[in-house]
Amino acid sequence: MSSTILFRRGRVIDPRNGVDGVRDVLVRDGRVAEVSEAPLQVQDAQVVEASGKLVLPGFIDLHVHLREPGEEGKETILTGCMAAVAGGFTGVVAMPNTKPVNDSVLVSEYVKAKAREARLCHVYLAGAITKGLQGEEMAEMGALVSAGCVCITDDGRPVMNAGLMRRALQYAQLFDLPVMVHEEDLTLSGKGVMNEGRTSTRLGLTGIPPSAEVAMVARDMVLLEETKGRLHVAHVSCEGSVRLIREAKRRGLRVTAEATPHHFTLDDEAVGAYDTHARMNPPLRTRRDIEAVREGLADGTIDAIATDHAPHGVLEKQVEFDKAWNGVVGLETALGLTLATVREGALSLQRAVALLTDGPARAFGLPGGHLAPGAPADITVVEPDVEWTVDSARFFSRSRNTPFHGRRLPGRVAQTWVDGRLVFEDGHIKESR
């Protein structure tokens, strides 16, 4: 394969550099060399005919569970990376809730080695805030940063100890490191399994009030203002949370946020007749919350679309609702659900692309997310008018837990390129070596 690739006459959308129009994109030796409004004539280039397609910076997902080490039956780093590139993602941030937890250099090095073997997409590391995710003692943050971690988080476990959270924000400042938080006051959520409201009452299920999330967001904004650190709010689901984050940004606090496609697509009625594929944490909320999250995505309050890709086995979902594990897979449906939201008029296409590319790159200071000369040649080519039906049996992910099976979605990933290498094309993983 040539080290020079010419993407010819596609619609290039590059929000960071203000590009939206038909362009030629020239790649040399794994880097973007030129983006030209005029047609380019390049000898010995591999030509990708992109007319009628979108040529976009590769997507970046800030919140992915790859499950390895420890739970390879649900997902491996290889299968997770396959799902990522099939969904157009050229970079993912791997959460630390593995077995053992990524609270050490040893686990970090293991994940990096497996990602190098997979050789499909960039795998960035998230280290734990506390040892073993127990919320009691801070992990060795300096060692985790040296091992390549781009943020710290206890993932699905909230840091209930406010003093410890304050120290984490302070210490992370030494490394200019974002602290990613799952906002949940456990004294309010208790044994709840879905959003508290009419649907939970009808189904006889214990509810989780919005205040369980909003109260913790409020606490952490106070700590953030005092420490001047960096905070990243994971999977925002509530109107009140969006309001607090918006106000914090107006006051100049260093806060970023993400929202998942399931939280801006489905409300709590999706639980239906106890559908465990609609169980996640934070839970699906109300239509009003969905509209608030969409407004936050559109106006810049929320910086990134992240999937919270959480693979689980059949036996962990085919049980009573209150015994099912939280989480859904999302890498292979994120683009379609986002473009469906664009079709509904809630997002512009340009803003949707920014939320998948430039927004996450800026939030964590990652390379990529744009197509300026010199940028990594991480490129996703999309056929925007092709519609397809979600079939979980055909996922590259090892798990099938999705509430979107059978849903008709717009936008198909035609190609995914990482560092100028074609890693996915027309439904197939390409040879990575």
Side-chain angles (χ1 to χ4, degrees), residues 377-408:
D378 298 340
I379 295 172
T380 301
V381 180
V382 172
E383 295 173 309
D385 299 322
V386 172
E387 293 196 352
W388 59 286
T389 300
V390 178
D391 181 356
S392 60
R394 301 184 67 181
F395 283 168
F396 286 95
S397 172
R398 186 163 278 189
S399 294
R400 305 285 177 259
N401 50 306
T402 176
F404 300 109
H405 178 77
R407 176 77 67 96
R408 192 79 175 160

Side-chain angles (χ1 to χ4, degrees), residues 52-87:
K53 299 173 184 171
L54 304 178
V55 177
L56 310 174
F59 307 155
I60 299 171
D61 192 339
L62 298 179
H63 195 154
V64 170
H65 299 267
L66 295 179
R67 301 301 190 205
E68 188 179 8
E71 295 184 292
E72 289 83 356
K74 299 181 181 184
E75 195 79 283
T76 65
I77 290 169
L78 174 60
T79 60
C81 289
M82 290 168 66
V85 298

